[in-house]
């Protein structure tokens, strides 16, 4: 059985793609250092996270998706050193589901690793990610537990206090590690260094990229994508949404347009501030291990003015759409000449 298991359970939009890219790109180095990163790739940890939550119809994602969680746990049980499981959707599991996973890893010493950010940033970045995955609900309608019926896009995974209540009760406080995202002035690889330190890795032995793996769209660009999504009915499968809407439209073309960061309304800001303060209070009361500045998890009192998606003008949308059409036409011409998509 593994000696230690590090469960990196999220939160979403907290540099998880960046950290996972380092892990999967360094699998040989991890193995050499005695660490197990089970499975053949990032998708297996996604399937396991969804299976942990009893999501139906996993076979629609891939015939190999059902049983992913059991396969990863079995691999951990066969390993004699430390092991790592990492996917941000794990944090959406219920209290009993979290407990069952941790119990299945016994007698290994289980550590929870929770990367986090201020709750307002969670809301706006999480909604943008929802739109990049085909979502159509406006940000102004973000209320309650979830958006569009998808549990990974809502307070279920964005609210740090709720995640701590469901997960942290199953391990001692000293083994709950909260990693606030470093601020803008920090070294580019600081997030990796903090993460590696919790895992007991030498960060200098691993190649951490300088650029983010999941770039953000501006407010005009994300609102344009939200309005384009409804007629894209042929792109209903997760793999199609991920490849064409998220990957091709959003992260290949729209991200190239310079744009302002999006903002939320006063009611949403107030709710985010309350949720953030509640999370910090839980962390301080229970004595969880914090790597970084716990105050960075709060919503600042003095926020810079930022445009909301519902305030984007038709002129701004038309300008962004015109640029997008020109880029798509150039891409289509290049694809026609080369005979394959790029």
């Amino acid at each position: 059985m593994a000696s230690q298991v590090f469960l990196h359970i999220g939160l979403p939009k907290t540099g998880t793609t960046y950290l996972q890219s380092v892990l999967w790109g360094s699998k040989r180095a991890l193995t050499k250092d005695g660490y197990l990163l089970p499975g053949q790739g990032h998708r297996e940890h996604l399937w396991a996270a969804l299976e942990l939550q009893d999501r139906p119809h996993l076979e629609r994602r891939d015939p190999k998706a059902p049983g992913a969680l059991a396969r990863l746990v079995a691999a951990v049980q066969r390993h004699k050193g430390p092991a790592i499981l990492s996917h941000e959707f794990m944090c959406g599991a219920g209290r009993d589901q979290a407990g069952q996973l941790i119990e299945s890893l016994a007698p290994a010493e289980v550590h929870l690793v929770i990367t986090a950010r201020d709750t307002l940033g969670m809301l706006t970045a999480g909604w943008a990610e929802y739109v990049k995955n085909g979502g159509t609900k406006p940000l102004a309608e973000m209320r309650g537990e979830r958006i569009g019926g998808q549990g990974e896009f809502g307070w279920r995974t964005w609210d740090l206090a709720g995640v701590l209540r469901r997960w942290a009760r199953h391990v001692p406080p000293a083994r709950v590690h909260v990693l606030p995202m470093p601020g803008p002035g920090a070294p580019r690889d600081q997030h990796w260094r903090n993460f590696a330190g919790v895992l007991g890795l030498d960060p200098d032995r691993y190649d951490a990229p300088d650029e983010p793996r999941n770039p953000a769209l501006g407010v005009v660009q994300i609102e344009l994508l939200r309005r384009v999504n409804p007629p894209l009915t042929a792109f209903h499968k997760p793999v199609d949404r991920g490849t064409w809407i998220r990957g091709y439209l959003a992260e290949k073309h729209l991200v190239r347009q310079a744009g302002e960061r999006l903002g939320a309304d006063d009611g949403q800001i107030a709710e985010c501030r309350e949720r953030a303060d509640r999370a910090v209070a839980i962390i301080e009361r229970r004595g969880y291990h914090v790597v970084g500045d716990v105050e960075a998890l709060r919503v600042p009192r003095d926020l810079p003015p930022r445009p909301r998606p519902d305030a984007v003008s038709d002129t701004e949308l038309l300008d962004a759409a015109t640029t997008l059409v020109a880029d798509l036409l150039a891409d289509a011409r290049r694809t026609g000449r080369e005979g394959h998509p790029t």
Side-chain angles (χ1 to χ4, degrees):
M1 185 67 199
S3 57
Q4 295 175 306
V5 180
F6 295 93
L7 288 178
H8 177 212
I9 64 171
L11 306 178
K13 307 308 297 179
T14 59
T16 54
T17 303
Y18 166 79
L19 296 174
Q20 290 155 1
S21 71
V22 179
L23 291 176
W24 286 106
S26 307
K27 190 168 182 178
R28 286 188 178 181
L30 286 170
T31 301
K32 187 175 181 180
D33 285 343
Y35 284 72
L36 171 71
L37 183 63
Q40 299 302 309
H42 171 263
R43 284 199 308 165
E44 284 195 71
H45 289 230
L46 165 62
W47 299 337
L50 298 177
E51 192 169 38
L52 175 63
Q53 299 171 63
D54 298 321
R55 293 293 184 86
H57 310 303
L58 282 181
E59 71 282 352
R60 296 178 184 175
R61 292 179 172 267
D62 189 283
K64 298 179 181 178
L69 181 61
R71 292 196 300 272
L72 296 183
V73 170
V76 170
Q77 291 173 338
R78 293 192 297 269
H79 184 67
K80 293 184 179 180
I84 306 166
L85 298 176
S86 174
H87 200 278
E88 58 273 22
F89 289 168
M90 282 189 184
C91 69
R95 181 184 62 184
D96 292 343
Q97 293 167 337
Q100 288 167 7
L101 174 58
I102 291 171
E103 184 178 350
S104 73
L105 298 170
E109 180 182 281
V110 176
H111 292 250
L112 293 181
V113 185
I114 306 172
T115 47
R117 66 189 298 174
D118 77 88
T119 316
L120 180 58
M122 286 295 312
L123 171 66
T124 54
W127 175 79
E129 189 70 14
Y130 155 77
V131 173
K132 285 162 63 176
N133 281 275
T136 60
K137 293 285 185 181
L139 176 60
E141 295 181 14
M142 170 51 204
R143 296 290 187 270
E145 284 300 311
R146 59 187 64 201
I147 285 182
Q150 301 179 65
E152 57 265 34
F153 299 113
W155 292 125
R156 182 77 176 177
T157 58
W158 299 342
D159 182 29
L160 177 57
V163 172
L164 289 170
R165 288 193 185 103
R166 296 194 305 273
W167 277 88
R169 66 191 301 127
H170 302 292
V171 299
R175 288 196 237 141
V176 178
H177 312 277
V178 180
L179 280 63
M181 292 184 69
R188 288 179 177 269
D189 64 349
Q190 189 62 54
H191 203 31
W192 162 247
R193 290 184 172 277
N194 293 345
F195 185 75
V198 169
L199 271 58
L201 297 170
D202 179 356
D204 293 322
R205 295 193 63 247
Y206 296 83
D207 185 20
D210 287 337
E211 298 301 322
R213 292 289 180 166
N214 198 352
L217 269 62
V219 60
V220 174
Q221 290 70 34
I222 198 65
E223 177 62 13
L224 174 62
L225 182 60
R226 186 188 70 81
R227 299 195 188 191
V228 169
N229 279 337
L232 298 178
T233 54
F235 298 84
H236 62 279
K237 293 182 179 179
V239 65
D240 285 337
R241 292 197 302 267
T243 299
W244 294 105
I245 300 176
R246 185 178 187 273
Y248 183 73
L249 271 183
E251 296 179 358
K252 179 176 180 180
H253 290 291
L254 284 173
V255 77
R256 291 158 53 186
Q257 300 183 19
E260 296 181 81
R261 291 181 61 182
L262 63 97
D265 64 40
D266 290 344
Q268 290 170 323
I269 292 173
E271 180 179 5
C272 288
R273 186 168 285 123
E274 291 177 4
R275 290 179 180 271
D277 291 345
R278 193 156 52 237
V280 172
I282 291 173
I283 292 168
E284 293 178 338
R285 184 171 66 250
R286 299 183 181 174
Y288 298 141
H289 177 218
V290 179
V291 183
D293 183 8
V294 72
E295 292 299 313
L297 300 177
R298 298 189 193 271
V299 177
R301 292 294 168 183
D302 297 320
L303 289 169
R306 289 182 181 144
R308 302 195 313 266
D310 57 1
V312 171
S313 69
D314 290 342
T315 299
E316 291 173 308
L317 290 171
L318 180 59
D319 288 346
T322 302
T323 301
L324 178 62
V325 169
D327 288 345
L328 294 178
L329 184 59
D331 209 31
R333 181 178 63 179
R334 183 168 57 253
T335 299
R337 288 175 176 174
E338 297 176 359
H340 59 81
T342 57

